[in-house]
Amino acid sequence: MKIHEYQAKELFEKAGLPVVPGRVTTEVGEAVQFAGEVGYPVVLKSQVLVGGRGKAGGIKLVKDQAALEKAFGQLKVLEIKGYPVEKVFVVRAIDIRKEFYAAVTIDNAKDDVVLIASADGGVEIEETAKTNPNAIKKFYLQGQSQIDPQSLPWKEFISAIFPDPSHQEIGTKVFQNLIKVFFQHDCSLAEINPLVIDAHGEFYAADAKMSFDDNALASHEELLDLRDMRYEDADELEAKEAGLSFVKLEGNVGCIVNGAGLAMATMDIIKLSGGQPANFLDVGGSSNPEKVLTALKIILRNTDVRAILINIFGGITRCDDIANGILKAKEQIDLPVPLVVRLTGTNEKEAKELLAQNGIEIHSTMREAVDKVVELSK
Amino acid sequence: MSVLIDQNTKLIVQGITGRDGSFHAKQMVEYGTQVVAGVTPGKGGQEEHGVPVFNSVAEAKDKTQANTAVIYVPAKFAKDAILEDIAAGIDLIICITEGLPVLDMVEVRKAMENTSIRLIGPNCPGVISPGKSKVGIMPGHIHTPGSIGVVSRSGTLTYEVVYNLTLNNLGQSSCVGLGGDPIIGTRFIDVLEMFMKDDDTKGIVMVGEIGGEDEQKAAEYIKKEVTKPVVGFIAGRTAPAGKRMGHAGAIISSGDSTAEAKREVLKSAGVKVVDFPDEIPAIFQ
């Protein structure tokens, strides 16, 4: 799950990170009032959950009320990568002298949490990583959830980022708090880009990005209200609540598969066999019959779908659970498109008997079932 | 021979009294796996499918000399289950449970540092050495003893591959499901090395998918060290690109984690990469 800049900054502030005072609003009047309180110039920042908003014109520096009103109006009608700007975050402008990059994330290949920092911050950081990798410094936490500011490796790291000794203590504090906020909320990313030093030598997180591990959300009540539903696909959410994983695609062959790998392979093979998959749908393990019913309902909302393939290789998923789900669905909904069923693995025999009694044919190989469903989709 | 598990494997089932744990404990017993103990805190003294249940792994290990544990407990208890195994000195831990937070796995990996304990998973189907022992959730009957080693990041897709091998009279030495999570206990390279050392494994099937760089690392290893024939399949050629946020991911990952990139790098390492899982057997025949 991702959250907006203004939400991340609230969490940052609670963790002791320096953020510039700001207010999020949908009303120009409130923006004007806030600018009056903190004084011009202010920056208007579109709150969207996609990258590249600066380049898309979603960030505007304004020097007076007239300019604010004009810019606010422009942002309110702006769409960034298909997402309309709803909220605008108004912050006092900072007189930036130096920009840094700082992020805490998980390096899967190293099985560890890593703090990444650079004295060359800003929007070109990925380019810097490619052209001048030495400008990017990484500090691995070695399985710990904090750093020892007195240790030699830390002193080397911090002085590489902040050659000016007067910045090292406050820089260490900022990094410690970024690490703290990362662990506090089970983040997958906590990023400040840029981390800035202003004309008075003060540090500020000028931007804030946070995303969270979906597997850990259940134990973080503080995050539940932060989800912006406009960025969630209603079908995908409904699927998730039912324990399914669903992604809609452009094609016309609906797929219900168990396991992400087999679900992806099924889509690949449909395509290689001349069809177009309409979705990715993994019913997951420990299936119950209800899941199949929900899966069919979600897939059938897509009116492009001309045939549906159920491809189950039972392991922890029992084929008879799936068969019962198919029978239940047949009772409850009128299937407007043909269903091609392939079931094999755990409790396959029971499933075959159940479906045979109800006149449903079962294919035993994936290739045969895919060929059949592709033919029916044409 | 085989890798990781065989007829001498003595198994503890953690979560044996739960729906999945109980069901699969029964399947493993029926397959012939030496299931010597179950563990469910608070249910010690009971029996499940004739297997004695203990309150803790330490007690179960002490009473039964078990050397392997398989975990079916819910995700929120899985980290503690693994840590309990590590503390008890269980040699091989196989975690079937899916949905562990990534930071839980960082903690687990740290706890395993400087030990010889091996973890398979989490979020994996387990390991089977056909005819000898089955530890996990895979349907036993699709496997048959033989000389092909299978290693995979997927669960059900592995069954698909194995099923095709068995249909074509190609038995398996061992099949290892690594699990689909970002941080896992054992990666392709580890298992490729085991298969290289196992005299009974004559050929290897490697099933990868989009994401991460483990297939690229495996390709490097194969180029240098693997002299047995390797056939590869990569899932996710039609998967839409992931939505990325922030720059950190791009900074730490050097490679291209698409299916096509992985297919190419494996091909250049001499791996025969197929389009359909049912094309795998012909490569070995």
Side-chain angles (χ1 to χ4, degrees):
Chain A
M1 183 181 86
K2 303 169 184 178
I3 59 173
H4 289 290
E5 175 194 1
Y6 77 94
Q7 298 168 316
K9 281 189 170 165
E10 277 177 28
L11 297 177
F12 273 19
E13 199 171 6
K14 281 183 194 153
L17 284 160
V19 298
V20 189
R23 186 168 301 165
V24 68
T25 180
T26 56
E27 303 296 331
V28 67
E30 201 180 349
V32 168
Q33 190 200 339
F34 179 75
E37 286 168 24
V38 296
Y40 289 92
V42 295
V43 185
L44 305 182
K45 305 176 86 174
S46 309
Q47 297 297 290
V48 286
L49 290 178
V50 290
R53 63 180 173 165
K55 287 176 184 165
I59 298 179
K60 294 187 185 295
L61 174 72
V62 294
K63 292 195 167 61
D64 54 41
Q65 185 175 338
L68 185 153
E69 283 168 358
K70 186 175 167 223
F72 201 96
Q74 287 168 338
L75 292 183
K76 287 294 283 180
V77 295
L78 186 66
E79 258 189 34
I80 300 177
K81 294 182 183 166
Y83 292 99
V85 175
E86 190 197 34
K87 290 177 178 159
V88 176
F89 192 39
V90 190
V91 292
R92 178 168 64 78
I94 326 170
D95 186 0
I96 297 174
R97 290 300 151 92
K98 178 95 182 104
E99 291 191 332
F100 300 87
Y101 175 85
V104 181
T105 189
I106 299 171
D107 187 343
N108 296 328
K110 296 252 166 67
D111 304 326
D112 202 4
V113 174
V114 61
L115 166 68
I116 306 167
S118 175
D120 291 332
V123 291
E124 301 303 333
I125 187 73
E126 283 183 42
E127 199 50 37
T128 305
K130 282 193 201 113
T131 54
N132 185 16
N134 287 333
I136 313 271
K137 304 291 175 197
K138 293 174 200 161
F139 190 89
Y140 284 89
L141 269 73
Q142 319 276 356
Q144 305 298 319
S145 54
Q146 55 193 359
I147 55 100
D148 173 5
Q150 301 308 325
S151 71
L152 191 62
W154 181 260
K155 285 183 171 167
E156 277 173 15
F157 177 79
I158 200 77
S159 54
I161 306 297
F162 303 109
D164 181 344
S166 72
H167 291 151
Q168 289 170 8
E169 194 180 331
I170 176 79
T172 295
K173 196 79 205 146
V174 167
F175 291 155
Q176 280 178 310
N177 286 334
L178 189 61
I179 292 165
K180 183 171 90 180
V181 80
F182 177 89
F183 280 97
Q184 232 167 25
H185 306 292
D186 269 286
C187 292
S188 37
L189 173 75
E191 183 182 80
I192 308 174
N193 188 36
L195 170 69
V196 303
I197 299 180
D198 75 357
H200 310 288
E202 298 287 337
F203 277 63
Y204 289 105
D207 193 9
K209 279 197 176 71
M210 288 178 98
S211 60
F212 306 95
D213 181 350
D214 287 338
N215 283 349
L217 284 179
S219 48
H220 289 279
E221 274 178 29
E222 80 280 9
L223 303 176
L224 292 179
D225 296 336
L226 301 184
R227 193 187 286 275
D228 186 341
M229 301 309 273
R230 295 178 309 138
Y231 290 83
E232 305 286 338
D233 181 282
D235 289 337
E236 288 179 20
L237 267 188
E238 185 187 344
K240 200 185 273 174
E241 272 162 26
L244 312 166
S245 157
F246 172 82
V247 181
K248 189 173 181 285
L249 301 167
E250 301 293 312
N252 60 11
V253 180
C255 310
I256 297 177
V257 188
N258 67 318
L262 188 60
M264 285 193 286
T266 303
M267 286 159 42
D268 294 351
I269 287 164
I270 287 172
K271 186 126 186 208
L272 285 169
S273 307
Q276 295 295 336
N279 64 276
F280 167 93
L281 192 148
D282 171 12
V283 291
S286 310
S287 59
N288 63 42
E290 280 299 322
K291 279 187 176 180
V292 180
L293 184 62
T294 311
L296 281 168
K297 282 182 183 164
I298 292 171
I299 288 175
L300 287 170
R301 264 179 229 147
N302 176 357
T303 50
D304 291 343
V305 170
R306 312 221 0 215
I308 297 173
L309 171 64
I310 298 185
N311 182 20
I312 302 294
F313 212 124
I316 207 160
T317 303
R318 305 181 201 172
C319 292
D320 54 332
D321 281 344
I322 300 289
N324 275 316
I326 295 171
L327 296 178
K328 202 167 181 179
K330 283 216 133 191
E331 269 170 31
Q332 294 191 14
I333 45 180
D334 188 24
L335 281 174
V337 298
L339 202 60
V340 177
V341 182
R342 187 272 181 130
L343 287 171
T344 193
T346 308
N347 291 8
E348 169 181 343
K349 207 168 130 257
E350 291 84 342
K352 282 194 169 154
E353 279 165 12
L354 272 173
L355 292 182
Q357 286 161 9
N358 290 275
I360 299 171
E361 187 194 357
I362 295 188
H363 297 271
S364 54
T365 74
M366 177 152 141
R367 184 83 82 123
E368 191 186 289
V370 167
D371 285 346
K372 179 84 185 172
V373 81
V374 168
E375 183 196 314
L376 289 169
S377 73
K378 293 208 163 143
Chain B
M1 266 172 59
S2 50
V3 305
L4 292 163
I5 60 168
D6 59 22
Q7 58 276 15
N8 299 317
T9 295
K10 289 177 130 187
L11 184 70
I12 295 173
V13 178
Q14 285 167 273
I16 194 167
T17 55
R19 183 188 192 260
D20 292 330
S22 169
F23 178 82
H24 289 284
K26 183 162 176 273
Q27 301 263 313
M28 291 188 286
V29 168
E30 284 169 3
Y31 192 79
T33 307
Q34 282 198 64
V35 182
V36 296
V39 168
T40 300
K43 298 205 172 164
Q46 298 185 7
E47 265 195 11
E48 188 80 21
H49 311 302
V51 176
V53 179
F54 298 90
N55 286 319
S56 73
V57 172
E59 189 190 353
K61 185 184 178 226
D62 189 47
K63 299 269 168 64
T64 64
Q65 279 76 56
N67 56 10
T68 301
V70 63
I71 296 172
Y72 293 97
V73 306
K76 60 178 170 179
F77 306 122
K79 178 187 79 180
D80 288 338
I82 300 172
L83 293 176
E84 190 183 351
D85 289 330
I86 295 171
I90 298 285
D91 300 331
L92 173 64
I93 307 163
I94 299 176
C95 184
I96 307 301
T97 306
E98 63 178 304
L100 270 79
V102 187
L103 284 177
D104 282 5
M105 278 308 295
V106 171
E107 201 178 325
V108 162
R109 292 297 310 222
K110 177 69 182 171
M112 286 175 61
E113 241 177 31
N114 307 318
T115 72
S116 58
I117 292 169
R118 179 160 290 289
L119 169 69
I120 306 281
N123 187 15
C124 79
V127 182
I128 183 169
S129 295
K132 296 171 182 163
S133 185
K134 158 179 134 96
V135 179
I137 57 173
M138 66 290 282
H141 74 272
I142 60 168
H143 301 79
T144 191
S147 61
I148 307 291
V150 178
V151 58
S152 169
R153 278 173 67 190
S154 166
T156 48
L157 181 54
T158 320
Y159 313 157
E160 187 69 52
V161 166
V162 167
Y163 179 69
N164 279 293
L165 290 171
T166 296
L167 281 182
N168 289 280
N169 300 316
L170 287 162
Q172 306 88 42
S173 52
S174 295
C175 305
V176 183
L178 302 173
D181 282 0
I183 295 187
I184 49 180
T186 298
R187 300 178 187 273
F188 280 119
I189 291 183
D190 306 305
V191 180
L192 289 170
E193 192 182 343
M194 292 176 210
F195 282 144
M196 273 310 291
K197 286 182 185 156
D198 178 36
D199 290 340
D200 286 349
T201 299
K202 309 288 185 205
I204 300 166
V205 179
M206 175 182 157
V207 182
E209 58 187 49
I210 49 166
E213 292 163 51
D214 284 2
E215 288 82 358
Q216 282 83 341
K217 288 180 185 158
E220 269 174 50
Y221 180 82
I222 290 167
K223 212 172 198 169
K224 276 189 244 151
E225 309 283 346
V226 178
T227 50
K228 295 176 182 178
V230 184
V231 180
F233 178 83
I234 303 288
R237 296 166 84 180
T238 49
K243 304 160 203 159
R244 205 166 57 80
M245 193 200 193
H247 303 282
I251 293 171
I252 49 173
S253 120
S254 49
D256 179 351
S257 61
T258 61
E260 292 308 329
K262 293 185 183 218
R263 285 169 58 89
E264 287 314 311
V265 72
L266 285 170
K267 278 182 197 168
S268 71
V271 175
K272 296 261 186 263
V273 181
V274 297
D275 290 327
F276 296 85
D278 61 12
E279 291 171 344
I280 295 170
I283 313 274
F284 291 112
Q285 280 160 343

